[in-house]
Amino acid sequence: MKAVTRIVFVDDEDNKFFGEGPYRLLKAVGETGSLNAAAASMNMAYTKALKLLSNAEAALGFKLTTRTVGGKSGGGSELTPECIEFLNRYAAYRDACRENNKKLYDEYFS
């Protein structure tokens, strides 16, 4: 038996807008330089990836990526500085919650 911690951010209407899925998607965008490639690596439709980003951007109040349209040189996506900072904070918060959950679990169920 174990306890699992999942971090989900919701807006004022309790609509989920950020969690591990969007986090992994954005990390993949940072690695690949492409929202399309990031979505494909997660077996996610590009339209779903766009919707996830749009919902998160609306709730957070800032852009997560800058996108360039394709063409001869191809398009791409880049994480904004605000996004990189948010991802770092999210990961630190998530990790701290997991660690504290483990301590509490050990305290109550060891």
Side-chain angles (χ1 to χ4, degrees):
M1 181 171 80
K2 65 181 178 179
V4 177
T5 302
R6 290 188 175 92
I7 302 302
V8 176
F9 292 160
V10 298
D11 61 20
D12 292 337
E13 287 81 39
D14 285 337
N15 296 313
K16 177 182 171 182
F17 71 87
F18 201 84
E20 203 60 26
Y23 172 81
R24 288 191 353 255
L25 177 66
L26 286 164
K27 291 297 278 187
V29 169
E31 293 167 5
T32 64
S34 165
L35 179 60
N36 193 26
S41 75
M42 296 176 66
N43 295 317
M44 179 186 298
Y46 178 74
T47 53
K48 181 175 181 177
L50 276 175
K51 185 174 180 174
L52 285 173
L53 289 186
S54 177
N55 289 343
E57 288 174 342
L60 292 168
F62 56 85
K63 289 285 186 189
L64 296 169
T65 62
T66 55
R67 295 184 283 274
T68 55
V69 179
K72 283 189 176 184
S73 60
S77 295
E78 191 174 299
L79 302 181
T80 64
E82 295 87 358
C83 178
I84 293 168
E85 181 179 344
F86 179 77
L87 293 179
N88 290 336
R89 287 178 179 222
Y90 172 84
Y93 176 72
R94 178 202 59 207
D95 295 347
C97 288
R98 287 178 177 167
E99 182 60 32
N100 282 304
N101 182 42
K102 183 182 179 329
K103 289 177 187 174
L104 289 168
Y105 177 81
D106 290 344
E107 179 181 337
Y108 288 96
F109 294 100
S110 64

